[in-house]
Amino acid sequence: YVSSLDGTTRESALAAAGVYDYNYVPDYIVINLGTNDSGGPAPDDEFSLAAKDLVSKVRARYPEAQIVWMYGLMSTLYAETLRKTVREINKTDKKVHFLFADSIFGNESETGANGHPNVRASIRASALLYKKIRSVTGWKNKLKVEDAE
């Protein structure tokens, strides 16, 4: 489902076309929203409420999945708000996690087109996510953490 800023929800085009299989049950879900949404900032309490609502909808569909909210690559505006929001969610759901990624701003080697993360920033973000998933789940594989950086 796709949620709009006005609070409406509609089925995504992929789901409507029968392309997305909702029977698939992921072990991990990564949410990376809010990063590019600070042009007309919402008040912190409104942003927090919307974040809780989104996590609640994801949790209702996937009750066993680990959910990681990654934030910071393009903006740090809501970092503390999201950190606090995840702490509040953790009172009843320990499978939701916050992962802060340092912003690319001021780092020309990680800034691509129109101020978005480039490949180097994406590799860094992937390494952070890899480490987070390993720390949350105890997941072991043959890839060394250094190889992911």
Side-chain angles (χ1 to χ4, degrees):
Y1 286 89
V2 177
S3 295
S4 299
L5 290 175
D6 65 4
T8 60
T9 303
R10 62 177 171 74
E11 192 171 20
S12 73
L14 289 177
V19 175
Y20 189 81
D21 179 9
Y22 281 112
N23 293 316
Y24 172 74
V25 179
D27 294 318
Y28 318 99
I29 296 170
V30 178
I31 300 171
N32 187 23
L33 295 174
T35 294
N36 195 19
D37 301 328
S38 56
D44 287 353
D45 58 338
E46 187 177 317
F47 192 88
S48 178
L49 187 62
K52 288 177 190 174
D53 183 55
L54 176 61
V55 170
S56 174
K57 287 175 181 173
V58 171
R59 176 58 70 224
R61 180 150 322 254
Y62 302 110
E64 298 303 317
Q66 298 284 343
I67 299 171
V68 177
W69 195 307
M70 186 171 191
Y71 182 81
L73 274 179
M74 291 183 64
S75 173
T76 59
L77 179 66
Y78 294 113
E80 283 310 306
T81 299
L82 282 170
R83 206 181 306 269
K84 290 176 186 175
T85 299
V86 169
R87 273 192 234 122
E88 288 177 33
I89 293 169
N90 286 158
K91 292 175 183 173
T92 57
D93 187 345
K94 299 291 186 195
K95 291 184 176 183
V96 180
H97 314 275
F98 179 74
L99 174 59
F100 181 76
D102 288 327
S103 174
I104 61 169
F105 294 114
N107 186 348
E108 290 182 22
S109 69
E110 291 191 350
T111 304
N114 294 326
H116 286 77
N118 65 13
V119 172
R120 176 175 272 166
S122 297
I123 290 169
R124 177 173 60 85
S126 297
L128 288 169
L129 186 57
Y130 171 81
K131 288 177 185 179
K132 183 67 169 185
I133 290 172
R134 282 188 64 167
S135 74
V136 166
T137 64
W139 175 46
K140 305 275 187 229
N141 69 3
K142 296 179 181 181
L143 180 66
K144 296 176 187 169
V145 176
E146 302 82 42
D147 294 338
E149 295 179 310

